[in-house]
């Protein structure tokens, strides 16, 4: 027995040594193949994973000294609001002139009900997500998207007790700074409208699960997105029709417009000042039921003006009209202007296309 014990110990030590070498060799091989088994970072309530596709989640978004951080507040059953932010920051010296170059990019997602106040709700939804560069979400999902963000209206199970729909919004922003004076917009890379739609829906599914209102089947993006709108067009005459809408004349040449989607559910038109790029006029027709429900309760109880159909109100920067069209509640919106002549031209053109009665009386449009 005394002679056997040392051999037994040596055997065990030899076996352990072999196992250590095997594991070390396996680890070295996985590291060399870039598959080291460290867990990847996740963001936005676990909806997005590092290196999962879009540029802002990959290594290409980071400089040598760059960093990517995430902050979040998840919705709950008791407090069904939440926010998540993914921030990318980097700094280096230019190899050309030695100036300090810095990037600061962010992707932000918000989960919560639309505001109660009419102006706040119109500013959030109409101004932010119904512009001429937005397209409908695919697969009948109620919302809009582009390469910089989007909005999704959640199912009725997530509505507030007072009936307001809950929405999930996503927005990419960022700046690029070089030296003491050069700065330009440089939003985080979402990978295009289709990938942005997938990011938005993934965050919405996680948010609904946390808030306890998720549907039996998660929301999905399986179809291509609607064709992206065309380029902006310059107005060269004060009598030129804007956004292809006959009779919509703005009386100025210092503008450019973008005709957005034109479908049975949605039509948009955005006009900007040519000099400073600020909004000049924004128009939208919304007939998709859940997206139209976002504007419930803020169109008043009387017509927008004498002879107008439906109900409507005019605020400081917005006007809204709600009326039935082709058997569906339809909302007509105007932002950055309160000239009802512009809304009349747009609404009557949309109703003629949809083959329902005009919204404004004859002679109201201009």
């Amino acid at each position: 027995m005394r002679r056997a014990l040392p051999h037994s110990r040596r055997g065990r030590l030899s076996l352990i040594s072999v196992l250590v070498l095997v594991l070390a060799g396996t680890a070295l091989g996985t590291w060399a193949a870039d598959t080291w088994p460290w867990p990847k970072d996740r963001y936005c309530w676990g909806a997005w994973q590092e290196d999962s596709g879009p540029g802002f989640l990959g290594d290409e978004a980071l400089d040598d000294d760059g960093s990517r951080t995430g902050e979040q507040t998840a919705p709950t059953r008791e407090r069904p609001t939440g926010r998540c932010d993914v921030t990318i920051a980097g700094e280096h010296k230019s190899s050309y002139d030695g100036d300090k170059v810095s990037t600061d990019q962010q992707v932000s997602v918000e989960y919560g009900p639309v505001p109660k106040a009419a102006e706040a709700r119109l500013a959030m939804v109409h101004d932010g997500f119904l512009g001429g560069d937005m397209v409908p979400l695919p697969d009948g999902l109620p919302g809009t998207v582009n390469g910089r963000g989007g909005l999704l209206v959640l199912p009725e199970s997530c509505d507030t007790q007072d009936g307001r729909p809950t929405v999930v919004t996503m927005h990419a922003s960022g700046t690029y700074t070089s030296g003491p004076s050069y700065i330009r917009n440089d939003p985080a890379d979402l990978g295009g409208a289709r990938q942005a739609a997938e990011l938005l829906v993934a965050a919405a599914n996680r948010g609904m699960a946390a808030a306890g209102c998720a549907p039996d089947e998660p929301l999905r993006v399986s179809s291509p997105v609607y064709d992206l709108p065309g380029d902006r067009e310059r107005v060269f005459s004060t009598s030129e029709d804007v956004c292809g809408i006959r009779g919509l004349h703005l009386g100025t040449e210092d503008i450019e417009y973008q005709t957005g989607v034109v479908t049975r559910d949605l039509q948009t038109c955005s006009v900007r000042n040519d000099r400073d790029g600020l909004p000049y006029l924004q128009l939208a027709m919304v007939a998709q039921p859940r997206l139209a429900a976002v504007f419930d309760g803020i169109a008043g109880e009387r017509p927008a003006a004498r002879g107008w159909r439906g109900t409507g109100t005019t605020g400081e920067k917005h006007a809204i009209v709600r009326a039935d069209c082709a058997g569906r509640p339809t909302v007509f919106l105007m932002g950055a202007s309160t000239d009802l002549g512009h809304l009349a031209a747009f609404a009557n053109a949309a109703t003629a296309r949809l083959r329902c009665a005009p919204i404004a009386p004859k002679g109201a449009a201009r």
Side-chain angles (χ1 to χ4, degrees):
M1 289 293 291
R2 289 175 182 172
R3 291 174 182 167
L5 281 173
H7 291 289
S8 171
R9 288 172 182 166
R10 282 196 298 270
R12 286 197 297 269
L13 288 173
S14 298
L15 178 60
I16 292 171
S17 299
V18 170
L19 289 173
V20 168
L21 289 172
V22 169
L23 290 172
T26 302
L28 181 61
T30 56
W31 173 81
D34 197 24
T35 57
W36 182 260
W38 300 121
K40 293 183 180 293
D41 290 335
R42 300 194 72 94
Y43 304 94
C44 203
W45 318 312
W48 307 336
Q49 181 175 287
E50 179 185 9
D51 295 328
S52 61
F56 79 97
L57 292 175
D59 289 341
E60 63 269 25
L62 305 177
D63 294 329
D64 292 339
D65 297 325
S67 65
R68 179 171 44 238
T69 58
E71 294 184 6
Q72 63 181 29
T73 302
T76 64
R77 293 176 182 269
E78 296 73 26
R79 182 188 49 76
T81 61
R83 181 183 176 104
C84 67
D85 297 289
V86 179
T87 301
I88 300 162
E91 186 176 296
H92 65 273
K93 281 190 175 183
S94 170
S95 59
Y96 174 70
D97 54 16
D99 281 345
K100 184 176 82 170
V101 176
S102 61
T103 57
D104 183 9
Q105 298 177 322
Q106 191 171 68
V107 180
S108 300
V109 172
E110 293 192 61
Y111 178 109
V114 293
K116 290 183 179 181
E119 281 288 332
R121 194 181 310 183
L122 289 166
M124 171 192 170
V125 181
H126 180 213
D127 293 358
F129 301 100
L130 288 175
D133 61 346
M134 305 295 290
V135 297
L137 286 169
D139 302 303
L141 295 170
T144 59
V145 69
N146 65 11
R148 300 181 310 280
L151 171 144
L152 172 63
V153 186
L154 301 185
E156 291 184 24
S157 57
C158 298
D159 285 0
T160 62
Q161 291 185 350
D162 62 5
R164 284 175 294 142
T166 294
V167 299
V168 177
T169 62
M170 179 176 66
H171 179 67
S173 59
T175 56
Y176 171 94
T177 304
S178 179
S181 58
Y182 180 76
I183 184 171
R184 63 176 170 84
N185 287 330
D186 185 28
D189 179 15
L190 299 181
R194 168 56 191 260
Q195 203 148 47
E198 294 176 353
L199 291 166
L200 178 63
V201 169
N205 283 329
R206 290 285 183 154
M208 288 188 292
C213 65
D216 293 337
E217 294 292 330
L219 306 181
R220 298 184 185 279
V221 175
S222 57
S223 303
V225 299
Y226 186 88
D227 288 341
L228 294 175
D231 296 330
R232 295 177 182 175
E233 298 187 39
R234 178 81 183 274
V235 172
F236 294 101
S237 169
T238 58
S239 61
E240 182 177 340
D241 292 338
V242 173
C243 288
I245 298 169
R246 180 175 296 180
L248 181 57
H249 303 153
L250 302 184
T252 179
E253 299 177 4
D254 294 329
I255 56 173
E256 59 181 12
Y257 66 86
Q258 185 168 30
T259 303
V261 295
V262 182
T263 69
R264 181 172 177 265
D265 288 337
L266 183 66
Q267 181 175 348
T268 59
C269 165
S270 292
V271 185
R272 294 184 177 273
N273 286 309
D274 188 44
R275 294 179 179 176
D276 54 20
L278 294 176
Y280 185 91
L281 176 66
Q282 300 217 130
L283 297 162
M285 180 280 297
V286 181
Q288 205 284 340
R290 282 300 289 167
L291 187 54
V294 165
F295 304 101
D296 284 352
I298 63 173
E301 299 179 355
R302 298 180 179 180
R306 180 176 294 181
W308 284 57
R309 194 161 64 86
T311 63
T313 60
T314 302
E316 294 181 2
K317 296 182 178 180
H318 301 88
I320 178 172
V321 172
R322 184 182 179 93
D324 285 343
C325 183
R328 298 196 298 173
T330 305
V331 179
F332 302 89
L333 303 158
M334 179 171 63
S337 171
T338 54
D339 187 334
L340 287 180
H342 302 328
L343 184 59
F346 174 76
N348 285 351
T351 54
R353 180 175 62 83
L354 297 174
R355 299 183 180 180
C356 65
I359 296 296
K362 188 175 181 180
R366 65 173 178 273

